[in-house]
Structure formats: structure tokens, C-alpha cells
Amino acid sequence: MTQESWRKRSEIPLTAAALVFLAAYSVQVISNSESVMVEILIWVTWAAFVVDYAVNLALAPRRGRWFIRNLHELAIVMLPALRPLRLLRLITLLQVLHRVGGNALRGRLLAYVLGAAALLTYAGALAVLDAEENTPGSNLTSFGDALWWAMTTITTVGYRDHYPITVLGRFVAVGLMVGGIAVLGVVTAAVASWLVETVAEETAAEVDEAEAPLQREVARLTAQVARLTAMLENRREPAAGSDGGTEDAGGAT
């Protein structure tokens, strides 16, 4: 088995595991309680990612290079105790979003950006709530407040009516701000590209429309010149034949 074939076979199970983890983790954080069933689901998904990491590392053609490029996978399997870092498993869902949207580049980009922004906002709200809700003096104690904070942070607005006070919560805020800048940058680039393409198409259409009469006149003149050339050539052929007959007669005499 190759690494590529393993990825194709494991894509659906890992996507399902990421969704199960997201649901279980959401219940655990929002309810602020420890459920044995939820904890079992979380550890089962962790085990699935451990297996995937081990198989990918074993099948990688260049293991050292693959190891360096997938350090986030190592963080997922080695740091399960840091609960907000478990949200790194949702990178699997982003890989699926990257292939959604059809063959058009703009469709894939739109699906990826919108999906990544929504997932990043939700994951950031969960992570900061998990880090802050049981901390004395915290002002992020409900999922509504955490979601509002995540939306204002990812859009770089920052009303400062809610903010994290723990170290882990501030790390989550830094990640969310960096992700928000990246998402806004991609959106801005996509809109700019669309505007440039639209203006270029409209300009080309206007130029074609303005040049159409000239092109028709040039085509008419070209056809007329071709007809005149053909007429002149037809007249020269009989004249050439007459000259040849006269010369033959003169020679016979």
C-alpha cells in the first residue's frame, strides 16, 4: 500500500472522526461537564488520528521530510491533554473543504475560505471558552459570549467587551487573529481578482464592439481587392495567348 492509497481510503473515516470529535468536544465545553461517554468518543477519535499518523509516517517515501511538514499532526497525537489543541484535528475538515466547489478555481477558493472562516470562528469560540469558563474573574463564561468574542476577533474589530485573561486563552486569541488576517487577505485578493477580470472582460467587449465596423470595412476592401486582382489576372491571360500566336506566325513566315 502507498501513502496516497492510504489517504484515499482513510479520508472518509478521518472526516467522520473529526466531526464526531467536534460534536463531542462541543457538548463537553458548552455544558461545562465531564461525561464518560463524551470522553470516550474524544479518546476514540484521538486513537484514530494516532493510527493515521503512524501509517502515514511508515508509508512516507521520505519520512524525515514528511515529519517536518506535518508537525501539526504530531501535536495532535502527542498533546491530547491540552484540550483546546485537540481542535487541530479539524485540519482534516479543511482538507476536505479544499476539494469542494467544483473544478473552477474561484468556486474552490470561495468554499475553502467560507468554510475555513466559519470553522475557525466556531473552534476559536470553543477553545477560548474551554480555557476561560472556569477561571475566576473571567468574562467569557458562556458560549454566546465566546462566539461573539471570536467573531469580533477574527474580523479584527475587537470591541474589548470580552477578552481572555488566561495564557492559553490569549494564545487562542493570537491564533484567531492571525487566521482572521489570512482569511480577510484571501477574500480581498479574490474580490480584487474578480474585479480585474470583470473589468478586463468588459473592456475587451467594448474594444471588440468599437472595432467591429472597422473590421467589417477591412474585410469588404480585402474582398474587393481580391476580386480586382482576379479580374486583372483573367485579362492578362488572353493577352499573353495572343502575343504567343503572333510570334509563332512570324516565325513560320
Side-chain angles (χ1 to χ4, degrees), residues 14-248:
L14 288 178
T15 302
L19 290 173
V20 169
F21 162 76
L22 182 60
Y25 187 70
S26 299
V27 171
Q28 187 179 61
V29 173
I30 295 174
S31 64
N32 196 17
S33 62
E34 297 291 338
S35 170
V36 176
M37 181 60 66
V38 170
E39 195 67 26
I40 289 174
L41 289 175
I42 289 176
W43 282 100
V44 167
T45 59
W46 175 79
F49 280 90
V50 170
V51 172
D52 177 67
Y53 181 85
V55 173
N56 272 293
L57 183 60
L59 296 177
R62 299 178 181 178
R63 295 180 182 177
R65 185 177 181 181
W66 187 90
F67 175 81
I68 296 298
R69 290 187 174 184
N70 294 271
L71 290 176
H72 64 277
E73 296 284 350
L74 181 63
I76 291 171
V77 300
M78 295 299 294
L79 302 172
L82 298 178
R83 300 195 335 175
L85 291 182
R86 296 173 182 176
L87 291 166
L88 289 173
R89 302 176 192 179
L90 301 181
I91 293 175
T92 304
L93 296 180
L94 293 181
Q95 294 171 353
V96 175
L97 287 172
H98 185 63
R99 290 184 287 274
V100 176
N103 295 324
L105 176 61
R106 188 175 293 117
R108 293 200 306 268
L109 181 64
L110 182 61
Y112 184 78
V113 169
L114 293 180
L119 189 60
L120 188 61
T121 302
Y122 185 76
L126 283 179
V128 78
L129 181 61
D130 192 16
E132 297 283 324
E133 61 183 345
N134 295 318
T135 302
S138 173
N139 56 83
L140 289 168
T141 56
S142 68
F143 182 68
D145 291 340
L147 189 60
W148 169 253
W149 169 84
M151 294 180 66
T152 58
T153 302
I154 197 173
T155 54
T156 67
V157 175
Y159 284 112
R160 294 202 47 89
D161 51 349
H162 296 287
Y163 51 89
I165 62 174
T166 64
V167 175
L168 186 56
R170 289 173 179 173
F171 273 112
V172 173
V174 170
L176 198 57
M177 285 185 284
V178 172
I181 293 172
V183 169
L184 290 177
V186 172
V187 171
T188 303
V191 172
S193 174
W194 173 75
L195 288 175
V196 170
E197 183 178 344
T198 302
V199 171
E201 291 177 353
E202 292 180 354
T203 302
E206 292 176 356
V207 171
D208 292 340
E209 184 179 357
E211 292 182 350
L214 179 60
Q215 292 175 355
R216 288 194 295 268
E217 184 65 20
V218 170
R220 186 184 67 81
L221 292 175
T222 302
Q224 186 174 359
V225 169
R227 288 195 301 269
L228 292 174
T229 303
M231 291 173 61
L232 289 174
E233 290 179 352
N234 290 334
R235 289 182 180 181
R236 287 176 182 175
E237 289 179 358
S242 300
D243 294 341
T246 304
E247 291 177 0
D248 290 342

